[in-house]
Amino acid sequence: MPTKVIINSGLITINDGSSFLVTASDGSINSNLPQGFFVRDTRLISYYEISLNRYPLVLLASSNITHHSALYQFTNPQFPTVKGNLPSGCLLISIRRDIVEGMHEDIDIINYYHEPVEFQLMLALRSDFADIFDVKAQHILTRGVTNTIWQDGVLKTEYCNGSFVRGIVIEAVCSSSQVRYANGRLMFDIDIASGKSWHTCIKFTALVNGNALKPQITCCVDHNTKAGKVRDEFLTHATKLKSSNAEIQEFYQQALTDLAAMRIRVDDNGQEFWMPAAGIPWFVAVFGRDSIIASLQSMAVYHEFARGTLLRLAQLQAKELDDWHDAEPGKMLHELRHDELTKIHQLPYDPYYGTVDSTILWIVTLAEAYSWNADLSMLNECRSPLEKALIWIDKYGDFDGDGFVEYLTRSTHGLRNQGWKDSGDAIVYPNGELVEPPIALCEVQGYVYEAWQKAAFIYEVWGEQKQATKFRQKAEELYQRFNEQFWMESEGFYCLGLDNQKQQIQSIVSNAGQLLLSGIVPQERAKKLVERLFQADLWCGWGVRTLSAKNQGYNPISYQRGSVWPHDNSIIAAGLKRYGYHQEVNRIAEGIFAAASYFQAGRMPELFAGIERQDNNFPVPYPDANIPQAWAAGSILLLIRSILGLEANAPQHKLKVQPHLPECLPDLELKNLAVGDVKVSLRFWREGEQTQWEVTHQDGELQVYK
């Protein structure tokens, strides 16, 4: 059993959609740290401390129970009471918190002392209504006016800055004692007989511009909350996995659980759909690239994610030029926020469109979703957004007309880099110097190539052969142009991109590995590319590094200059499968699975250090990595799909399998795999070096073939 590596130790995080709570392990909230109760990108509770006669509790244990519930167990220190000192360890104090839009807190105290005890329970609370971006930066600035009212046992605090209004209503219910409020504290006078218990619960109702987000009362009903039912509905419909390798089975189940926690509701013409947010806690919001990639990764597990993502992004598709938001007609968003800084126009996230690839990948996802769900009505509903997205590629994506899509922010608060490696220092020359935009990234050209191929497929579905031929021709021309200008013969590899002088950025990076999935790499070059990916400067044993260790800008513990990103590796593995490199797919899968075995619950973090894997070390976490994170969880799902080689053609009632199980995964069974309206179960097992398979259950017409 490997040592467990803890990420963001000492913190407990729970959420329901964009409502989330981050506390220390003892349940407290420190306003000077990135902690608190947040709703719609605003911190509503910034300080929270529980005490008995002003003495802090002694933590026994604490943990998440589900993604929306946490339990904290305490006892008492020795402290003075009106009847004398109470010895330590006489009381058991249990605090449970559940989030369903608002927050519900149950507090239960049991007296194990041989005499009655009297004391005062105090809850110290403060609200700073800080913007989520200020909290992350730990640079809190109050811009509006805060007022607090205590009336009839209800504490109401409201914050107002022009049209931006937030509030929190705190009320004790079902309490064994009357509650009082003074000096920033809720106080309960408690008298518990020996062997008896005391209870109260606290309701935290969030106020958002006139809307009250109320918690579900859970102290007198089963804790199967609305959030739990939403999670369970997803887990019921998702594809199930069983294996004699219990560890990998657990990784898969944890990935499903994490994705369930990150679901955002999408309303479309009276129907309800779901899409994945980017990550918990700081990125539970509508994202473009992250949500799209997570949807692609989970297509064989729950293809309804893709539908929700496609519809929501189409609803928010840009309609006009707007430099502040980096918006252009037809462009899909990068990020949507509801925070104060955005509301008062100091940040451009309402929404912000500074991403070069969301629009292109949206097209790819639309075609892939149709291949899995065979829903022509979905295609038809997305026709106008598709046409606008295709126009964007030519008119605004390739804004200088050189035949390649590049990026350049025009917003004063925009992102310098707008590919998936979007940190400010991510794109460097071999000598480590930063590359100045505009930049045409290699993988983006691969996305465009695939998007045009997928657009041709969609137009064929609509019976429009002329349009289909047009886009296949555009793809072929890009194929030739790209392979002439991006290939580095001396390296046997593709360059990172073209700089603002249209010169190759000759850095060796993981981006080139993603090209395989698009199909833009000629077969004769694929072999060289694959060999280069697994040389020691890129391959660290856990996965492919984002940047070669030979680059002067390399730093294995940086964000994107030498770290390992599971989602990046899962895309590379899917591309390797497309080109028939089955052993290399398994090599990446084994590395990522091995890393997962060290992380708590087998939960993949957003990224980890690219330090070389050895027999006596473990994957080193990146301290600020999001966990759980959608495309990190999705990496487990896509790796399983790549190992099995699953490709759906739901309109033709077909499913192709091309399984090559690695040694670490000797057998595997999928249940409830949905291809269109058909549900199928498949079993795979190794016999020597070969993988065998069979259909164990099928509900509907479907041809499964190899």
Side-chain angles (χ1 to χ4, degrees), residues 506-523:
Q506 296 187 336
S507 297
I508 303 298
V509 290
S510 64
N511 304 53
Q514 293 197 16
L515 290 168
L516 293 166
L517 185 56
S518 70
I520 201 171
V521 180
Q523 282 286 351

Side-chain angles (χ1 to χ4, degrees), residues 226-268:
K226 177 182 176 183
K229 292 174 182 176
V230 167
R231 175 202 64 214
D232 293 344
E233 185 272 338
F234 167 76
L235 294 175
T236 297
H237 288 89
T239 302
K240 312 293 188 299
L241 182 148
K242 288 184 63 178
S243 174
S244 62
N245 186 323
E247 194 172 52
I248 291 178
Q249 180 177 312
E250 289 170 5
F251 299 162
Y252 182 92
Q253 188 61 36
Q254 184 63 55
L256 291 185
T257 301
D258 287 347
L259 285 171
M262 286 180 272
R263 295 209 297 171
I264 297 175
R265 191 174 65 219
V266 176
D267 297 313
D268 183 72

Side-chain angles (χ1 to χ4, degrees), residues 292 309-314 317 332 357-367 382-387 389:
I292 288 170
T309 299
L310 290 164
L311 293 175
R312 185 60 178 137
L313 296 189
Q317 190 175 28
M332 299 298 176
D357 46 20
S358 291
T359 312
I360 308 162
L361 290 171
W362 185 92
I363 299 169
V364 173
T365 305
L366 177 61
C382 290
R383 178 165 187 141
S384 178
L386 170 65
E387 291 170 344

